Amino acid sequence: MNAPGMKTAVVTGAGSGIGRSVALALAGAGWAVAAAGRRTAPLEETARAAGPGADVLCVPADVSSPPDVAALFAAVRERYGRLDLLFNNAGTFGPGGVPLEDLSPDDWRRVVDVNLTGSFLCAQAAFRQMKEQDPQGGRIINNGSISAHTPRPHSVAYTATKHAVTGLTKSLSLDGRPYRIACGQIDIGNAATEMTERMQTGILQANGQLAVEPVMDAADVARTVLHMAELPLEANVQFATVMATAMPYIGRG
């Protein structure tokens, strides 16, 4: 069980990038964090980076696997007794630079399985626990994307799933009202992570040219997630957009 007054969070995709930054921000603010991801070693690196005084539980899990998701949330119940926050972050872009007409059904399914089905499975498990626990309630924050609004070239699977995550966010927000379960979404543009390394070497634009794009520190995203997470359940940031200021989004293309 967690210490009195300590809140508990599950962060998926916590072994790198935005997930790691958010896990560290939460741990630094005194949260207990269940760090989930497919590989144990990166999760343990996140735990070490949080420092010896942090409460970080590493749980290897594939969010697209129902048994893995069930085991993740069972581990959180056993260790902490309650759940205050899910940051639904795990995601994949899929094969980069593949034209729509060449995208294989298997590659499409892999992106859908992680980005959409994985987000649903984790949200469903969190929702059940938040509904059943006493005191009732909690918060779910979904990682959307600028692509939840505006696509990049050759990104049909990623863009379609991120648009769908917006629908998931709205449904969770509505269905959670009777149980004090708040749900919001953060749409992120060009945080400097492994996934966005191409931004700094040149990435395809809507006009067919390659261009280097500005990026921002993932810690800037983490601070925003922490702000959303620490609001009282009577208040909710429904949608937030955090982006590198000069990236091509407003007027993209």
Side-chain angles (χ1 to χ4, degrees), residues 122-248:
C122 290
Q124 183 184 54
F127 194 101
R128 286 171 175 159
Q129 185 166 343
M130 291 170 178
K131 180 180 176 181
E132 294 167 1
Q133 64 194 9
D134 183 22
Q136 193 177 59
R139 189 180 307 275
I140 298 168
I141 300 174
N142 292 325
N143 183 345
S145 171
I146 295 297
S147 292
H149 305 272
T150 305
R152 289 186 177 278
H154 302 164
S155 68
V156 63
Y158 185 78
T159 298
T161 56
K162 290 302 186 178
H163 274 65
V165 165
T166 299
L168 176 67
T169 298
K170 291 178 179 179
S171 288
L172 289 167
S173 188
L174 178 61
D175 293 345
R177 285 179 185 174
Y179 312 111
R180 298 188 76 242
I181 299 172
C183 183
Q185 180 169 313
I186 183 165
D187 296 321
I188 301 161
N190 287 17
T193 67
E194 295 89 338
M195 187 180 286
T196 60
E197 286 178 353
R198 295 177 300 156
M199 309 298 176
Q200 300 172 69
T201 59
I203 189 167
L204 185 65
Q205 304 295 305
N207 63 3
Q209 296 179 347
L210 293 177
V212 174
E213 295 188 8
V215 297
M216 62 177 173
D217 195 312
D220 297 325
V221 177
R223 281 194 292 272
T224 306
V225 174
L226 181 62
H227 168 70
M228 296 167 72
E230 294 199 322
L231 288 171
L233 291 178
E234 291 73 25
N236 187 42
V237 175
Q238 188 67 66
F239 293 99
T241 301
V242 182
M243 54 181 265
T245 303
M247 70 171 288

Side-chain angles (χ1 to χ4, degrees), residues 3-76:
M6 178 179 282
K7 292 187 175 182
T8 300
V10 170
V11 177
T12 65
S16 64
I18 290 166
R20 175 175 286 175
S21 291
V22 169
L24 295 179
L26 289 165
W31 288 65
V33 178
R38 288 178 297 173
R39 296 177 294 139
T40 301
L43 297 176
E44 292 175 343
E45 291 176 16
T46 298
R48 284 193 294 271
D55 186 347
V56 179
L57 174 66
C58 298
V59 187
D62 177 351
V63 297
S64 68
S65 164
D68 278 16
V69 171
L72 165 63
F73 285 86
V76 172

